[in-house]
Amino acid sequence: MPAYGQYCPVARALEVVGDRWSLLIVREVLFGGRRFNEIERGLPGISRSLLSQRLQLLERGGVLERRVREEGRVPEYALTAAGRDLHGLIGALRDWGGRWAFDDPRPEELDPAWLLSSMSRRYRRGAVPRRMVLEFRLRGGRRSHVWLLLHPRSGSEVCLKHPGFEADLLITAETRALFKVWLGRLSRAEAERRGLLRMEGAADIRRAFPEWFEWPSLPPSRGAAVGGSPAAARG
Amino acid sequence: MPAYGQYCPVARALEVVGDRWSLLIVREVLFGGRRFNEIERGLPGISRSLLSQRLQLLERGGVLERRVREEGRVPEYALTAAGRDLHGLIGALRDWGGRWAFDDPRPEELDPAWLLSSMSRRYRRGAVPRRMVLEFRLRGGRRSHVWLLLHPRSGSEVCLKHPGFEADLLITAETRALFKVWLGRLSRAEAERRGLLRMEGAADIRRAFPEWFEWPSLPPSRGAAVGGSPAAARG
DNA sequence: CAGTATCCTCGAGGATACTG
DNA sequence: CAGTATCCTCGAGGATACTG
């Protein structure tokens, strides 16, 4: 971001992380995004060239580092000490946004691929005894069928096509409701009671499921600073 | 700022306050800037039309309000509850910036008019028994002679021309040093010892002077994430 | 004092195609 | 898989002049 010409720590901070997308990129890496395509998946709408340019700016800004661990392996991005220290700033943004700008999802935000990338990023490694396949059948979003693979050791994977394994847990839901449940704006019980979400699978798996993720915790809304679409208010 | 298309509180917050200049405008109002020209003075380099547009965006975003108190009076800007709640975010920016992006001032940042507007914003109303005139004679900045008027009740005023009153306190300084002292990056004693700053006036006034302002408190630098100009490292 | 209206520029960033 | 190079567009925002 061009300089502000002020010897002020707020202005200086914004020069480094104030560019459009930059803090969202940091958010991705903060939650474990390491590879280029992985980071990109968490930022639908960004172009590859812009992501590439922003990553370079953040590297020059001392916020992250690009590393090629071994000859021939893919590059990985990691936060520096300064970058990790941005967690407080991201937290402040999340708190404020949750309180004042986080009403119901807008239709164009209902992208299941993004939701799953977000869940995948918050998967607790090793929380699962064996490979688990979660199947999502969704209504009212930009995609109706997605899968999430949880590996016991390595990590998790988003699949937009049938992964070839049978599902251990089938989640059928209104996309809007699934988003709200994930982001703590609607309880699972309430969603199930209202027929907006249903989970099928072995009882122990259904019971254990919530433990597999670190659910985002948000402050309660204190009124919309910005209004959402009126249609969004329903549910 | 255009939408990010993510149902994420961080992204939503950035949609409201992530535009260039927006958080600096909030900073100005947070520290008591109320009128258009007053806010503008804290943001050298912004154009009036851009400031006007950003103020409108922030108003639509629910962050501030524009009010005309009485028929015929000038409009004033005030933060809403959501806007006041941004102090945590601004604080996080200041903390991070102070730690990782706040090395020595760059030459183009040495604008005494801005520094005085900043001091003026942090003047403690009523800290002064009678009207006080501070005269600054500065070297190495974009301006060499400025005045700050402190009124016992109403507030403070920056003057770029002789205010017509005799000075109660004369501060002669290297502009760079004055900036660093104000922002806690150099102690007054050290600056005086090194001949970078001198204060002349009645002893009790010189002694009382620090109490007239709320001095910005910054975290210590933990290493520059971004490098300043090498020449800036000296003083 | 506090803006707004209009015109114009230039640079950020998308689209596309290409590479180690 | 992880980018980069090139070309082109369009819109953000500066300059200027004007107003209640």
Side-chain angles (χ1 to χ4, degrees), chain B residues 144-163:
Chain B
S144 58
H145 215 164
V146 286
W147 291 261
L148 188 58
L149 266 65
L150 307 178
H151 303 288
R153 296 185 165 278
S154 47
S156 57
E157 235 177 305
V158 178
C159 295
L160 304 181
K161 290 185 292 193
H162 195 291

Side-chain angles (χ1 to χ4, degrees), chain A residues 121-136:
Chain A
R121 199 82 79 253
R122 284 167 170 272
Y123 162 62
R124 290 187 172 137
R125 263 159 192 270
V128 129
R130 57 175 177 82
R131 189 199 59 226
M132 288 287 172
V133 178
L134 276 54
E135 179 180 354
F136 295 82

Side-chain angles (χ1 to χ4, degrees), chain A residues 4 12 14-15 18 30 36 39 49 51 57-59 68 83 100 109-110 122 130 139 142 164 200 210 220-221:
Chain A
Y4 284 106
R12 289 290 197 90
L14 288 171
E15 288 179 15
L30 206 53
F36 189 88
I39 296 168
S49 48
L51 175 56
L57 280 180
L58 287 170
E59 194 176 1
V68 181
W100 303 104
E109 290 172 340
L110 298 178
R122 284 167 170 272
R130 57 175 177 82
R139 292 181 303 270
R142 326 227 296 181
E200 292 163 81
S221 177

Side-chain angles (χ1 to χ4, degrees), chain B residues 66-203:
Chain B
R66 180 181 187 277
R67 287 189 277 223
V68 181
R69 281 196 185 276
E70 282 169 55
E71 185 65 24
R73 289 198 52 182
V74 294
E76 297 197 342
Y77 296 89
L79 295 174
T80 61
R84 288 189 295 276
D85 195 39
L86 282 167
H87 84 265
L89 180 58
I90 306 267
L93 272 168
R94 179 183 307 111
D95 289 347
W96 190 86
R99 276 197 290 273
W100 303 104
F102 203 58
D103 47 4
D104 281 315
R106 301 187 278 244
E108 65 275 20
E109 289 172 339
L110 298 177
D111 178 2
W114 181 82
L115 177 67
L116 260 68
S117 121
S118 164
M119 290 183 70
S120 166
R121 199 84 78 252
R122 284 165 170 273
Y123 162 61
R124 290 188 173 136
R125 264 162 190 267
V128 130
R130 57 175 177 82
R131 187 198 59 226
M132 288 287 173
V133 179
L134 276 56
E135 178 181 356
F136 295 83
R137 291 193 193 152
L138 302 169
R139 293 181 302 270
R142 326 227 298 180
R143 202 178 279 270
S144 58
H145 215 164
V146 286
W147 291 261
L148 188 58
L149 266 65
L150 307 178
H151 303 288
R153 296 185 165 278
S154 47
S156 57
E157 235 177 305
V158 178
C159 295
L160 304 181
K161 290 185 292 193
H162 195 291
F165 306 116
E166 209 186 332
D168 298 288
L169 192 60
L170 169 64
I171 295 164
T172 313
E174 204 69 46
T175 309
R176 161 183 307 282
L178 184 62
F179 266 86
K180 292 181 72 171
V181 168
W182 172 246
L183 282 143
R185 286 298 194 241
L186 176 64
S187 78
R188 222 175 97 200
E190 173 73 11
E192 290 183 310
R193 190 146 39 78
R194 286 161 59 186
L196 301 169
L197 184 135
R198 205 175 68 197
M199 297 185 41
E200 291 163 82

